[in-house]
Amino acid sequence: MRYKRYVKNIEAYQGLHPETQALLIRRLFDDYDCDYIVLDRGGNGISVYGYLCRKLFDNERKIEYIPFYTMNELDELKLSAYHTEDEYEQKIYTISASEEFNHDIALDLKDKIVNKRIELLISKEDIREFYNQEAWFNKLSQEEKMDFIMPYMQTNLLENEMVLLERIEHPKYIKLKEQSGKRKDRYISLAYGNYYISLLEKELSKKVKDNSIDINKLFLFKQPNIRKY
């Protein structure tokens, strides 16, 4: 009744146009055969959502992507303004963060890390050592090599982000803040994804509970005939 979390890839960008971000999200969605997108609709996220709600044509791959709408806030006025397509799929879990929500996801992520229910990629040093032993890898260009190494570098940056987060005193909630000049985007992405998986776990647990059957009722035992000699 539990899911294991595997972080297979991390990509981080800054300063990209919302349409470009939406296109990159759709590529990753297909490349990794994803089921859902977890998206913060606050700030620039609402613009990214707006482009995900449109038909997007990928000139590089020659593919047109069907619009994706929210799964959980379809009637939310701020989002429904973007719902203009007749054909769409509900694949996005939209998040509107609050102090309470940030408190909950911080505790949930800590619980999953402590209990080893999240598996991250290995260090960039270890993977580089592994790849350097492979003949095919050494034949690649430096740019191609970096494509293989980058997710592991991003994982190290994620770990550093989480280690450097500072807790701000608050009478009710846990509040985490990045240090001056640092970021916490990777941490937020991981925490959001982990939160949605936890929601799916609760649904799974409820289904199992609702459909539970007393195992003793599955079998009817008939007393065997016993003959005495």
Side-chain angles (χ1 to χ4, degrees), residues 104-160:
D104 291 342
I105 65 173
L107 288 178
D108 189 31
L109 183 59
K110 179 181 178 181
D111 172 72
K112 300 307 183 294
I113 291 174
V114 169
N115 289 289
K116 299 181 179 180
R117 292 179 56 196
I118 292 181
E119 187 170 313
L120 301 176
L121 296 173
I122 61 177
S123 72
K124 64 178 183 294
E125 290 80 12
D126 289 340
I127 195 62
R128 195 184 296 274
E129 180 180 348
F130 170 79
Y131 278 144
N132 284 336
Q133 298 174 11
E134 301 293 322
W136 63 267
F137 182 77
N138 292 314
K139 295 177 182 178
L140 299 177
S141 67
Q142 285 301 117
E143 184 178 347
E144 290 171 327
K145 288 180 180 179
M146 283 304 300
D147 288 339
F148 281 93
I149 301 295
M150 187 55 70
Y152 302 88
M153 295 178 64
Q154 291 291 338
T155 300
N156 289 157
L157 292 172
L158 164 66
E159 294 169 336
N160 291 336

Side-chain angles (χ1 to χ4, degrees), residues 5-18:
R5 284 91 163 145
Y6 296 92
V7 180
K8 295 293 186 182
N9 183 35
I10 302 176
E11 294 186 15
Y13 303 95
Q14 293 183 37
L16 294 183
H17 190 277

Side-chain angles (χ1 to χ4, degrees), residues 188-199:
I188 290 293
S189 295
L190 178 63
Y192 283 0
N194 174 68
Y195 169 79
Y196 183 65
I197 296 171
S198 294
L199 291 182

Side-chain angles (χ1 to χ4, degrees), residues 21-83:
Q21 294 182 55
L23 186 61
L24 289 173
I25 289 172
R26 289 308 312 271
R27 286 180 180 177
L28 289 170
F29 189 91
D30 284 5
D31 290 346
Y32 285 87
D33 194 22
C34 297
D35 296 308
Y36 314 105
I37 297 167
V38 181
L39 180 71
D40 185 352
R41 65 180 180 90
N44 190 52
I46 190 65
S47 298
V48 176
Y49 180 77
Y51 281 103
L52 288 171
C53 289
R54 304 179 184 180
K55 292 178 181 178
L56 287 173
F57 187 76
D58 190 333
N59 287 312
E60 183 177 324
R61 300 189 178 186
K62 307 303 179 185
I63 298 173
E64 184 175 74
Y65 300 111
I66 189 172
F68 280 175
Y69 286 4
T70 178
M71 304 158 49
N72 55 309
E73 297 182 299
L74 195 61
D75 297 326
E76 171 64 38
L77 291 178
K78 191 173 182 180
L79 302 182
S80 61
Y82 298 101
H83 303 162

